[in-house]
Amino acid sequence: MALNRSMHPRNRYKDKPPDFAYLASKYPDFQRHVHTSLAGRAVVNFKEPEAVRALTCTLLREDFGLTIEIPLERLIPTVPLRLNYIHWVEDLTDGQKQPRRGIDIGTGASCIYPLLGATMNGWYFLATEVDDICFDYATKNVEQNKLSDLVKVVKVPQKTLLMDALKEETEIVYDFCMCNPPFFANQLEAKGVNSRNSRRPPPSSVNTGGVTEIMAEGGELEFVKRIIHDSLQLKKRLRWYSCMLGKKCSLTPLKEELRKQGVPKVTQTEFCQGRTMRWALAWSFYEDVAVPSPPSKKRKLEKTRKPLSFTVPEAGVKELLDKAAGGSGPQDGVAALLEKTLTDLKVLHKRVPSRNPEQTSLFLTAVENTWIHGRQKRREQTRQLRELPRAPHCAAATSSPPPATKGRNTEAKGASAKEPGDGGERAEASEEAAGEDMEAPACTEPQQGEEPPSPTPTQHFLFKCLLNVLPEEADVVVVEMHWVEGQNKDLMNQLCMYLKNTLLKSVSKT
Ligand code: SAH
């Protein structure tokens, strides 16, 4: 799944999603929640809270040696997202003394941040919680993992965030606080009714969590504002204050608040995993802290260097190869199909010589955005088909669109796998729509070399790019698109997705 590529570089699941089949063979409790997809892959249904819980407990056990218990009626954390946050806190506090001392505001029943931070880095934690059930479970989870020397769980009143928790300890300077706040202002928001796009498909995974866990008066915005106000009094008692956000739109007002209050150091990041994105904000009253640069900038830089690319799998390439008349390699069949698609789209294209004899290169000049219309048209057709009453005997089964997003299983591995990200708990902010067809394509290092002149002296164009089709190992073919010039790289991204979808569709038809 696309977003996993943007996971924190140290996240152990970044290039290695959990192997569901292996975990199922080792853990019978997990095995009960693993099914086999039509393609023969081990899959987990993220709409089932029991399955999400089983996966979380299994990953904590297998990868961190942690044994935890969590009730189904409380928030079930997903491990890759929590790890992304832990790694960011490592970045924020990099260069500080060891071990570090932190506060987890609202630790939840799992007590996941303190357990991970203590196990991975030997960090000390003060973990706060308002909810009785969460407090009891968190305390037990710390004890049964023998981490009571590092983690102290305290019950706090609802109105308290940092002030009361620190009342008794007037001396200690904490290195950081972290918080995964209750995200929603009310029940409707929790159900996604206020989601920024009402046409979004339903979330791909279940939204677990009790009332105090997922709802706070005023939602996450007010909750974090309260932390900001506490921080204005506590100032240098903590080196870094940080908070995760379920909605990107919370960033701007919170940064504005910090600016108004004259907070000297502010930074932000995004956590990408599975099909879900989260954001986080951190601020400090210390002038000397090193501020890690936001990843969005890093990603933009990467985008300028790297081509977009996608892979056509072995099976499909074989079919195309059979079709390609007189072709010299598997890339020829793919190139021929791409050329036909580009002609249909009225994107100007011309084969250009390439230094690598195995590679086919096309120089593209896009004058008009024809691909987005096609996509919208197809979506509209699909929607209409979906809304048609179904005949009792589905004679036209082959032309039926696949069911929408409901009840989707998530596969563990492979090209088409939807990875076991953090779909669940903050469903309202899930990046489903983005994931559907606009996922950021995989990036590979650019090939040195050719940048041919435009074959057509087009005056008005949207963008120009070089498309390379090159065989990888076995019969796998990679399609790369290198940006040359134009208005907006998103357009090339869109065309890349269009070509990928068309190619993979025609391959699956053969
Ligand atoms: N940190 C956990 C749980 C996050 S849910 C995780 O990431 O999975 C938010 C938690 O904050 C809930 O457990 C809720 O009970 C708790 N909470 C809500 N208001 C709080 C407050 N004022 N102080 C401390 N915890 C609070």
Side-chain angles (χ1 to χ4, degrees):
M1 180 66 242
L3 287 177
N4 279 12
R5 291 178 184 274
S6 307
M7 270 191 188
H8 192 284
R10 290 194 300 281
N11 193 312
R12 62 182 301 140
Y13 305 110
K14 184 178 188 312
D15 299 313
K16 202 170 163 283
D19 183 340
F20 292 166
Y22 166 76
L23 293 171
S25 70
K26 191 164 168 187
Y27 299 95
D29 278 355
F30 179 59
Q31 188 178 31
R32 288 192 285 127
H33 303 283
V34 176
H35 312 281
T36 306
S37 74
L38 286 178
R41 290 201 177 92
V43 294
V44 168
N45 184 353
F46 281 94
K47 285 199 164 272
E48 288 170 9
E50 292 88 348
V52 179
R53 177 172 69 178
L55 177 61
T56 293
C57 293
T58 306
L59 289 179
L60 289 175
R61 176 100 210 90
E62 171 71 12
D63 295 329
F64 301 93
L66 290 164
T67 308
I68 68 157
E69 274 165 47
I70 27 179
L72 280 179
E73 63 276 12
R74 290 293 180 273
L75 190 75
I76 298 165
T78 42
V79 183
L81 168 61
R82 300 309 189 280
L83 272 183
N84 275 339
Y85 195 172
I86 290 277
H87 289 309
W88 188 52
V89 172
E90 289 169 358
D91 294 343
L92 286 171
T93 56
D94 191 27
Q96 278 170 237
K97 64 181 187 333
Q98 285 285 357
R100 287 162 216 165
R101 195 176 281 278
I103 303 171
D104 180 24
I105 305 171
T107 201
S110 59
C111 199
I112 188 152
Y113 289 123
L115 293 186
L116 286 174
T119 307
M120 292 163 65
N121 302 323
W123 290 350
Y124 287 98
F125 265 97
L126 178 65
T128 75
E129 186 48 66
V130 284
D131 178 86
D132 280 323
I133 296 180
C134 288
F135 172 76
D136 291 344
Y137 271 89
T139 308
K140 199 167 157 227
N141 284 330
V142 171
E143 282 166 5
Q144 76 184 18
N145 287 288
K146 305 204 171 16
L147 287 168
S148 308
D149 288 349
L150 293 178
V151 182
K152 181 170 155 196
V153 186
V154 292
K155 177 96 196 314
V156 291
Q158 178 66 52
K159 63 171 183 34
T160 305
L161 286 169
L162 281 166
M163 293 300 290
D164 284 55
L166 291 182
K167 234 177 13 203
E168 285 161 24
E169 301 166 346
T170 47
E171 298 303 313
I172 303 169
V173 170
Y174 281 87
D175 297 302
F176 64 89
C177 76
M178 60 197 302
C179 176
N180 184 8
F183 281 23
F184 309 120
N186 55 46
Q187 300 266 9
L188 284 184
E189 230 192 2
K191 285 183 185 148
V193 174
N194 269 355
S195 156
R196 70 185 146 95
N197 180 356
S198 58
R199 289 176 56 207
R200 281 185 170 193
S204 60
S205 43
V206 70
N207 185 359
T208 69
V211 170
T212 54
E213 291 177 290
I214 60 168
M215 274 180 259
E217 213 171 311
E220 66 179 9
L221 203 54
E222 285 312 309
F223 199 87
V224 180
K225 276 189 185 165
R226 283 167 59 203
I227 301 183
I228 293 179
H229 288 128
D230 276 10
S231 79
L232 289 169
Q233 300 190 50
L234 291 164
K235 293 223 164 113
K236 293 193 172 182
R237 285 287 305 281
L238 280 84
R239 284 183 77 82
W240 276 109
Y241 297 84
S242 78
C243 261
M244 184 160 105
L245 301 167
K247 295 187 257 184
K248 192 178 185 186
C249 62
S250 298
L251 273 173
T252 309
L254 291 171
K255 284 198 300 192
E256 177 56 21
E257 183 68 20
L258 290 165
R259 196 195 57 78
K260 256 187 6 212
Q261 302 292 351
V263 179
K265 298 278 179 177
V266 178
T267 187
Q268 70 188 66
T269 193
E270 55 194 34
F271 302 136
C272 309
Q273 53 279 305
R275 299 172 77 79
T276 311
M277 272 189 80
R278 295 287 176 262
W279 296 264
L281 189 61
W283 62 100
S284 176
F285 295 87
Y286 285 81
E287 297 281 355
D288 62 336
V289 288
V291 182
S293 52
S296 49
K297 277 192 194 150
K298 282 189 219 150
R299 281 212 287 151
K300 267 183 205 139
L301 275 177
E302 270 172 24
K303 272 188 192 167
T304 57
R305 278 193 290 115
K306 292 180 175 179
L308 301 176
S309 75
F310 61 87
T311 305
V312 187
E314 189 180 353
V317 170
K318 278 200 182 111
E319 300 289 342
L320 288 171
L321 188 57
D322 293 344
K323 285 184 179 176
S328 61
Q331 76 280 10
D332 265 10
V334 175
L337 196 65
L338 285 172
E339 282 173 314
K340 182 184 174 306
T341 311
L342 289 166
T343 305
D344 291 348
L345 283 175
K346 302 197 188 78
V347 172
L348 304 174
H349 56 93
K350 186 178 174 182
R351 286 206 185 202
V352 288
S354 157
R355 270 199 238 141
N356 176 353
E358 296 208 313
Q359 174 177 303
T360 306
S361 296
L362 301 172
F363 193 85
L364 270 51
T365 306
V367 182
E368 188 192 345
N369 188 337
T370 44
W371 50 90
I372 195 80
H373 291 306
R375 284 151 53 94
Q376 276 165 357
K377 243 182 264 161
R378 279 203 320 276
R379 243 187 247 148
E380 197 52 49
Q381 280 164 358
T382 307
R383 190 164 43 244
Q384 282 170 7
L385 274 173
R386 214 183 282 148
E387 284 161 12
L388 281 178
R390 293 281 157 95
H393 298 291
C394 202
T398 49
S399 64
S400 298
T405 48
K406 239 179 146 186
R408 265 199 312 229
N409 281 346
T410 298
E411 301 193 353
K413 283 183 149 186
S416 67
K418 295 175 184 81
E419 272 156 27
D422 281 77
E425 66 273 58
R426 311 303 194 198
E428 152 267 15
S430 140
E431 287 297 288
E432 283 281 300
E436 210 66 281
D437 13 54
M438 283 304 296
E439 62 188 38
C443 289
T444 53
E445 281 300 323
Q447 307 278 311
Q448 290 296 313
E450 67 287 293
E451 200 156 288
S454 169
T456 33
T458 315
Q459 286 295 309
H460 303 289
F461 60 91
L462 293 175
F463 69 89
K464 297 177 183 182
C465 70
L466 183 74
L467 185 153
N468 291 332
V469 187
L470 52 155
E472 221 180 36
E473 92 275 358
D475 278 332
V476 175
V477 166
V478 176
V479 178
E480 283 181 356
M481 289 170 80
H482 294 258
W483 178 255
V484 175
E485 61 176 323
Q487 289 175 9
N488 177 349
K489 282 186 194 155
D490 285 344
L491 294 166
M492 184 172 88
N493 188 352
Q494 288 169 5
L495 179 60
C496 180
M497 283 299 105
Y498 185 97
L499 295 175
K500 175 181 169 181
N501 290 341
T502 310
L503 212 63
L504 296 184
K505 222 175 279 164
S506 71
V507 160
S508 64
K509 269 192 223 143
T510 56

